[in-house]
Amino acid sequence: MARQLINNQLMNYHLENNQLINHQLINNQLINNRIKNRKLMNYRYIKNLILICSLFFSHQAVKATSIDWNGQYRFEWAEVDSTDLTGSGRKSYFLHRLNLRPQIVVLDGLRVLGSFELLSNGYYPNDQMGAWFGEPLSDGPSNVSQTTRQAQQVFVRELYLRWEQEHGELWVGRSSFDFGLGLSYSRGLGLFDHFSDQWDLVAYKIYSGNLSIQPMISKPIDLDPAQGSSATDQILNILYDNQDSQSQFGVMYRKREASPTANNAYRFFDSQVNSAYTQSQASTDFKATYTNIFFARVWPEFAFQIEGGFTSGDTGLVTQTQEKIELSGYGLAIEMDFFSKDKASDWTYSLLTGVASGDDPNTARFEGYSFHKNYNPGFLLMNHPLGQFDILTSAAYRGRSANGGGLLPTSSSLDEEAVSNVMYIAPQANQKINDQWTWTNQFVYATLQSQSSRTPSNMMSKDLGFEWDTGFTFKPHDRFEWVTEVGILSPGEAFKEGTLNHKTGVTFGFQTKAAISF
């Protein structure tokens, strides 16, 4: 717009100037050259003055931008009666969190977007758990005399440029993205999501009808400007979205390569139960591929969604017997919703089921797979760490929880457990009481995929047990939701860890949480 304004003003001036010059040549042939030159200098002066004025006003138009804000404030209280299932390990916590997402509109189609975390948790500084009530001053007075809370820093989670064009858009900066059911990729935009991933990337999304193709280059690790000390992701996201038929089909392909200097995959395997994985072996290039496929379709009385994830590749590590340690895992999640033919019915029914492969400790390959930690089929199982050992072998996926990277005790950890090494089924039945209240019910049953004991000879059971979650959802407004629920777990024989015969007992959890969006 600013450039068009300048061009129009210059065009009008040239037309007017030419008319004046022609008139001057016809009617002033007897005027000497000195006078003629003086006139021309005056015209140049007027021209320059007009140009300067037009640039000034155009510059004011370019500076006119707008900043839009949205975000979320969330608070939640959770309590679990016995996290180790022996009658002890009780935990209770209250969290609150504020997230601000500004959008700076520079020009039509050109925006700068960000995500700022204002309340963070010291044990989960790079996640979006939120700060807990009662956090003491790090260098404050006596615990019983202080009245000042610990000041919080502002963390920049995302900041990127987004340039929208007629048939595509460019992304540059630190951003996040979703895919499918959230099996592997989640932006953490759900009301009660506690985790999200950020990517330093350059991406371009191409639109063609219902089809979008988005190639991306990301730099997850860059230890030094010198070559040979970084890791790179090559990502391709393809999505077909047909609103008329209410169907979607997508493919997410990611290839990660890391140089030997940047390849510290041994830290991943240090957390695993397989003694064949060792830190002492020299590593070479890490080369792995991660593929996710998603399909969804909605019919008048039924909705179906499925996402599968697959990993393969070479970790660059070898075992003590010089065998290559390779990746070979898979995960599958299915969600089905059933709609009653009777439109007046208050009941809705759903079914969640899935499987995540577990590692076989008798092979050099690592066959384990983990869902994103935001994907929670149950309130207790596969959400809160339970029992007296890492029963789901998910330590490698959640090892960043405590300062220094070690695991927190079950009584001190928040809901950081991941769906890993498990097969589950979770039917749901919800009743809409009125426009604001809904009664929710969910039943969860799960079994292990692979024996996860640190001592395989114990012949562990694979039964993880049965859980019932029930509660109420209060939603008086589209931007406000309050959830209160109770979960009761009857743990299975797998928690006893075979002949070690750990004590187990029924445990329960309670949580109430609310989110305000703006």
Side-chain angles (χ1 to χ4, degrees):
M1 295 298 291
R3 174 57 55 188
Q4 186 65 34
L5 178 60
I6 294 173
N7 292 337
N8 291 341
Q9 290 173 339
L10 289 175
M11 184 178 296
N12 292 335
Y13 167 73
H14 284 308
L15 291 174
E16 182 179 335
N17 192 38
N18 290 335
Q19 291 175 358
L20 292 173
I21 292 174
N22 291 335
H23 179 73
Q24 191 73 14
L25 291 174
I26 295 172
N27 297 288
N28 297 283
Q29 295 178 359
L30 300 177
I31 299 177
N32 58 46
N33 291 335
R34 184 178 298 175
I35 298 175
K36 181 179 179 181
N37 291 338
R38 187 176 300 167
K39 293 283 188 180
L40 291 174
M41 290 178 63
N42 290 336
Y43 292 144
R44 292 192 185 98
Y45 174 77
I46 295 173
K47 175 182 177 180
N48 291 335
L49 181 62
I50 294 174
L51 182 59
I52 291 173
C53 292
S54 65
L55 287 173
F56 173 78
F57 289 112
S58 299
H59 179 66
Q60 295 299 314
V62 170
K63 287 181 63 177
T65 60
S66 65
I67 302 179
D68 299 327
W69 291 88
N70 61 70
Q72 180 196 89
Y73 177 71
R74 178 180 71 210
F75 62 88
E76 53 192 310
W77 174 45
E79 183 170 328
V80 179
D81 178 62
S82 174
T83 60
D84 63 5
L85 305 180
T86 66
S88 61
R90 186 185 186 94
K91 70 178 179 182
S92 177
Y93 58 88
F94 197 125
L95 303 172
H96 65 142
R97 171 226 183 198
L98 176 64
N99 177 254
L100 296 177
R101 307 187 71 88
Q103 177 179 249
I104 304 172
V105 181
V106 182
L107 295 171
D108 289 342
L110 184 62
R111 296 176 291 164
V112 177
L113 299 97
S115 175
F116 304 151
E117 204 77 18
L118 273 70
L119 294 170
S120 62
N121 191 293
Y123 282 157
Y124 303 83
N126 296 314
D127 297 313
Q128 50 194 47
M129 285 288 187
W132 48 48
F133 277 26
E135 183 177 5
L137 290 172
S138 58
D139 56 352
S142 167
N143 290 336
V144 297
S145 64
Q146 62 176 296
T147 57
T148 303
R149 300 272 57 79
Q150 180 72 39
Q152 290 283 332
Q153 298 181 7
V154 177
F155 290 88
V156 180
R157 299 183 57 81
E158 296 183 34
L159 192 62
Y160 65 102
L161 178 145
R162 189 168 177 175
W163 184 16
E164 298 177 355
Q165 301 166 320
E166 183 178 359
H167 298 293
E169 56 186 56
L170 173 69
W171 294 12
V172 179
R174 179 166 298 179
S175 180
S176 59
F177 50 83
D178 289 311
F179 181 81
L181 292 172
L183 191 74
S184 303
Y185 305 96
S186 173
R187 298 190 67 188
L189 296 181
L191 291 179
F192 305 106
D193 286 348
H194 287 162
F195 304 92
S196 68
D197 303 315
Q198 289 77 44
W199 308 76
D200 289 338
L201 55 80
V202 176
Y204 193 86
K205 180 178 286 188
I206 304 169
Y207 296 105
S208 178
N210 296 324
L211 181 67
S212 67
I213 302 175
Q214 187 178 32
M216 294 177 265
I217 297 292
S218 174
K219 185 68 70 173
I221 296 295
D222 195 356
L223 301 175
D224 190 275
Q227 275 191 318
S229 58
S230 65
T232 303
D233 282 328
Q234 302 173 45
I235 308 172
L236 182 63
N237 182 9
I238 302 174
L239 179 64
Y240 174 80
D241 186 0
N242 191 325
Q243 296 296 322
D244 295 332
S245 63
Q246 298 190 56
S247 60
Q248 288 184 332
F249 176 77
V251 177
M252 176 75 78
Y253 174 83
R254 176 166 63 96
K255 181 180 181 181
R256 172 165 291 186
E257 297 183 352
S259 65
T261 305
N263 182 7
N264 59 354
Y266 62 82
R267 293 186 179 179
F268 179 93
F269 295 108
D270 279 349
S271 303
Q272 297 300 320
V273 298
N274 192 338
S275 60
Y277 304 148
T278 174
Q279 175 180 346
S280 61
Q281 299 296 331
S283 62
T284 58
D285 287 353
F286 179 92
K287 296 181 179 180
T289 60
Y290 307 83
T291 305
N292 287 65
I293 302 174
F294 170 71
F295 173 75
R297 181 69 190 273
V298 179
W299 291 273
E301 298 175 4
F302 179 64
F304 178 82
Q305 299 182 85
I306 182 172
E307 181 178 354
F310 309 90
T311 62
S312 62
D314 183 2
T315 66
L317 304 178
V318 295
T319 67
Q320 295 174 350
T321 58
Q322 299 302 305
E323 292 182 88
K324 293 176 63 175
I325 301 177
E326 298 179 335
L327 298 175
S328 178
Y330 65 90
L332 181 70
I334 300 174
E335 296 185 6
M336 293 178 281
D337 297 289
F338 304 88
F339 311 117
S340 175
K341 295 181 179 180
D342 181 7
K343 302 300 181 182
S345 176
D346 297 327
W347 287 91
T348 59
Y349 304 94
S350 302
L351 178 65
L352 279 64
T353 185
V355 59
S357 61
D359 180 45
D360 183 353
N362 298 311
T363 67
R365 294 188 307 274
F366 179 75
E367 300 94 345
Y369 191 92
S370 175
F371 289 12
H372 197 282
K373 287 184 287 186
N374 282 338
Y375 196 93
N376 301 316
F379 168 27
L380 295 174
L381 275 175
M382 301 168 287
N383 189 26
H384 286 271
L386 299 170
Q388 300 185 51
F389 65 105
D390 181 25
I391 191 168
L392 300 184
T393 61
S394 60
Y397 304 103
R398 57 188 178 93
R400 60 177 177 164
S401 58
N403 294 329
L407 285 179
L408 291 166
T410 57
S411 58
S412 300
S413 61
L414 305 185
D415 57 337
E416 63 178 50
E417 185 61 277
V419 178
S420 177
N421 187 28
V422 67
M423 181 172 63
Y424 66 90
I425 182 170
Q428 299 176 351
N430 304 323
Q431 182 186 26
K432 184 178 180 181
I433 301 174
N434 54 41
D435 292 338
Q436 297 182 348
W437 288 91
T438 302
W439 177 34
T440 61
N441 289 275
Q442 177 174 253
F443 307 89
V444 184
Y445 176 73
T447 62
L448 292 175
Q449 276 293 98
S450 175
Q451 188 182 65
S452 60
S453 174
R454 292 162 293 185
T455 53
S457 60
N458 284 335
M459 297 301 293
M460 279 176 51
S461 168
K462 293 186 176 182
D463 179 23
L464 287 172
F466 179 83
E467 177 181 337
W468 174 38
D469 303 329
T470 183
F472 293 91
T473 299
F474 175 59
K475 192 172 183 179
H477 192 277
D478 290 339
R479 298 186 176 183
F480 177 76
E481 184 171 326
W482 193 322
V483 176
T484 301
E485 66 178 335
V486 175
I488 303 173
L489 170 65
S490 176
E493 291 291 318
F495 286 97
K496 293 185 177 181
E497 199 175 3
T499 57
L500 295 181
N501 199 26
H502 296 308
K503 179 182 177 182
T504 61
V506 174
T507 188
F508 67 91
F510 171 83
Q511 67 178 355
T512 181
K513 52 189 180 181
I516 303 169
S517 304
F518 54 89

